[in-house]
Amino acid sequence: MTALTLSTAGAATLRADALVVGVAKGVKGPVLAPGSEAVDKAFDGKLAAVLATLGATGAEGELTKLPAASGLKAPVVVAVGLGPVPDKEDAYDAEALRRAAGTAARALTGSKKAGFALPAASVEDAAAVAEGALLGAYAFTAYQGGEDKLAPRDAKSKGNGPKLPLAEVALLGAKPRDKAYKAAVERSLALVEEINRARDLVNTPPNDLYPESFAAVATAAGKEHGVKVQVLDEKALVKGGFGGILGVGQGASRGPRLVKLAYTHPKAEKTLALVGKGITYDSGGISLKPAGHNETMKCDMAGAAAVFAAVVTAARLGLKVNVTGWLALAENMPSGNATRPGDVLRMYSGKTVEVLNTDAEGRLVLADALTRASEEKPDAIVDVATLTGAMVLALGNRTFGVMANDDAFRTSLHEIAEEVGEPSWPMPLPADLRKGMDSPTADIANMGERMGGGLVAGLFLKEFVGEGIAWAHLDIAGPAFHEGAPYGYTPKGGTGSAVRTLVRLAERTAAGDLG
């Protein structure tokens, strides 16, 4: 994990590999953002002009490297675009700062230390820069750089391994001795460490991450951070009657698990339950996925990873709210033991489900976990899942859908997600779509109408939420796993989608802002 410091040094005197400054897009060319004053002075006040000569405009995501002027200790200046100049001075959007810091951190892969002289006059700005830089400095290298067994024995492996991420971020322009700044940076560090842990889990190959090993990771983290962890194995699931989780996992050689993580605070007045879909690999089961759709299915546990990270973050921050996480873990594999289309499962709730498509498995494991979570009467439940391709078709690869049984709760979650920089969109749960899941054999089928499939999945889940409990469903199928080139602070692979939203929900609940 990249180190983060609130530097007491000025930009001109900081000894580092590079200095990062912000540039906005003005009407007549690039405009230097606050924080760059000392660097501009070293260029005799001509840094903006030099950048313009090099083709810089200040557009978001744009990055320009240039040799530092003689008055600076760092040898390189990195100018990163912030987008349009804000209407009010110093009023840069927090997400623009996050993305700029992330872009710069990615560009400085392999460096030991960089000073970030981006706008940091407010606590919020400093936190945004810290988050963006730390998120951008992420790299998953656990399976790279191993010894080449085919190379000569005397061959040196130096330089053959992956480039390591930026080792240290020095935040400039903040107030190192101010308690509010220190608290904000500590929060950013804890949050990003857990987001990156979630990213690691999503990126881990499914031969190494399966229900039992995921449960072991959760157990170890619980011991470290004071979170109580309970793991239900196959025997316990059979005894408890968790037919949904068992039905999905019965085709795999490695059995399913239901993991409960409980963080409690002695002064808490509210309880949140978070439920995560944890399909550690999804082949589609007997309803096998077509060619070209299997390669990224290790990411189908991203919802469980987000829930796990959010609970641990709440514990690390000591939030005055009880947060319980439920990880519904299974591998969905085809075999002679696998659930078949046409089978009927008896769920933990007692309801029966006719399985029309074994690739609609996420809703089955979530249904059992939602029922179990409801038994503890939390004030609200939020489930997170890479649930439907239909949601990707509707909202694209960067936006997750928000559904709920309470309009006010759905609105709050949408606002929270936008506040923390996670694009989302409120989606309806049309009652007329429920009829499509009527089954002549069971209480409900796991499939309904093809059109509006993401909403149908939400309606299915709603059936398993306890009466009187506010519930929301986040379908993160689009943003959970990024297959394209990295951008901003978003890496290729697992993104940690929804963690920031869940943590901010917990913070607002602790503060009494959600009623």
Side-chain angles (χ1 to χ4, degrees):
M1 178 71 185
T2 300
L4 175 65
T5 57
L6 279 173
S7 180
T8 57
T13 59
L14 181 73
R15 294 186 181 277
D17 296 315
L19 288 172
V20 178
V21 297
V23 187
K25 187 174 184 179
V27 176
K28 297 182 180 180
V31 176
L32 297 178
S36 61
E37 294 83 2
V39 180
D40 186 37
K41 184 178 179 181
F43 280 85
D44 296 326
K46 298 178 181 179
L47 179 56
V50 172
L51 290 170
T53 301
L54 294 173
T57 65
E60 182 180 323
E62 182 183 79
L63 187 135
T64 307
K65 288 185 179 182
L66 65 160
S70 59
L72 302 173
K73 298 294 185 183
V76 176
V77 171
V78 177
V80 62
L82 292 167
V85 175
D87 295 333
K88 296 181 180 179
E89 188 178 359
D90 294 344
Y92 284 88
D93 178 70
E95 182 62 6
L97 293 176
R98 282 191 204 97
R99 290 178 179 174
T103 298
R106 285 193 298 103
L108 291 167
T109 296
S111 300
K112 292 182 178 180
K113 182 177 181 178
F116 281 69
L118 294 169
S122 70
V123 171
E124 293 76 17
D125 287 352
V129 173
E131 280 182 31
L134 293 173
L135 287 169
Y138 172 82
F140 184 69
T141 60
Y143 291 81
Q144 297 175 355
E147 181 180 332
D148 186 353
K149 294 181 179 179
L150 298 179
R153 288 184 179 274
D154 60 349
K156 295 183 178 179
S157 61
K158 185 178 179 181
N160 293 337
K163 275 191 175 182
L164 297 177
L166 173 63
E168 182 181 348
V169 170
L171 198 60
L172 305 174
K175 300 175 182 177
R177 295 179 180 83
D178 187 293
K179 290 182 179 179
Y181 279 86
K182 286 182 179 179
V185 168
E186 287 173 1
R187 176 195 180 275
S188 296
L189 188 59
L191 173 64
V192 175
E193 283 182 348
E194 296 311 320
I195 291 174
N196 286 345
R197 194 204 301 255
R199 289 170 164 181
D200 283 350
L201 287 167
V202 174
N203 289 328
T204 299
N207 57 319
D208 282 343
L209 188 76
Y210 43 91
E212 185 178 1
S213 63
F214 195 153
V217 171
T219 300
K223 290 179 180 178
E224 182 181 358
H225 297 292
V227 175
K228 187 176 180 181
V229 180
Q230 178 186 12
V231 180
L232 300 185
D233 61 11
E234 298 103 310
K235 290 182 180 179
L237 291 171
V238 170
K239 184 177 180 180
F242 291 88
I245 297 174
L246 288 165
V248 173
Q250 71 186 43
S253 60
R254 298 178 290 198
R257 298 288 187 273
L258 177 61
V259 179
K260 176 185 177 183
L261 304 102
Y263 161 69
T264 58
H265 192 285
K267 296 183 179 180
E269 297 181 357
K270 298 284 186 179
T271 297
L272 286 175
L274 309 177
V275 177
K277 173 187 173 183
I279 304 300
T280 56
Y281 183 75
D282 182 18
S283 70
I286 296 296
S287 305
L288 195 66
K289 291 180 182 292
H293 290 73
N294 291 287
E295 290 79 2
T296 61
M297 281 300 102
K298 65 180 181 180
C299 80
D300 215 18
M301 37 58 66
V307 165
F308 166 51
V311 175
V312 174
T313 303
R316 292 182 62 172
L317 298 179
L319 301 182
K320 293 181 181 179
V321 59
N322 297 328
V323 185
T324 303
W326 300 88
L327 315 182
L329 308 176
E331 282 187 310
N332 186 25
M333 298 294 286
S335 76
N337 296 323
T339 293
R340 297 151 293 225
D343 283 356
V344 173
L345 304 177
R346 184 170 296 278
M347 311 296 283
Y348 179 71
S349 67
K351 288 183 180 180
T352 54
V353 176
E354 182 181 11
V355 179
L356 298 180
N357 187 329
T358 63
D359 196 23
E361 85 298 331
R363 64 199 70 183
L364 299 176
V365 299
L366 286 173
D368 274 356
L370 284 167
T371 302
R372 178 64 187 90
S374 297
E375 289 181 339
E376 299 192 353
K377 306 295 182 185
D379 294 286
I381 298 176
V382 179
D383 76 71
V384 189
T386 49
L387 205 61
T388 64
M391 196 56 56
V392 185
L393 290 173
L395 299 178
N397 290 316
R398 298 190 183 186
T399 303
F400 62 73
V402 185
M403 287 158 260
N405 61 1
D406 179 278
D407 289 347
F409 191 40
R410 181 185 64 188
T411 298
S412 292
L413 273 167
H414 171 55
E415 291 174 349
I416 287 170
E418 295 295 313
E419 174 191 341
V420 300
E422 296 197 300
S424 70
W425 196 251
M427 303 292 283
L429 290 173
D432 62 286
L433 291 178
R434 169 61 182 84
K435 185 171 178 58
M437 290 185 284
D438 286 347
S439 166
T441 306
D443 295 323
I444 189 172
N446 77 329
M447 292 291 288
E449 294 182 29
R450 180 170 176 266
M451 299 303 175
L455 312 182
V456 170
L459 285 165
F460 181 91
L461 296 177
K462 183 182 177 184
E463 298 270 331
F464 297 87
V465 178
E467 191 159 349
I469 301 174
W471 157 80
H473 162 55
L474 310 184
D475 190 335
I476 62 171
F481 195 84
H482 179 57
E483 295 186 65
Y487 65 93
Y489 54 78
T490 301
K492 188 177 181 70
T495 64
S497 178
V499 177
R500 284 180 286 162
T501 297
L502 296 179
V503 171
R504 183 56 56 87
L505 171 65
E507 289 174 326
R508 286 182 58 168
T509 303
D513 292 344
L514 288 176

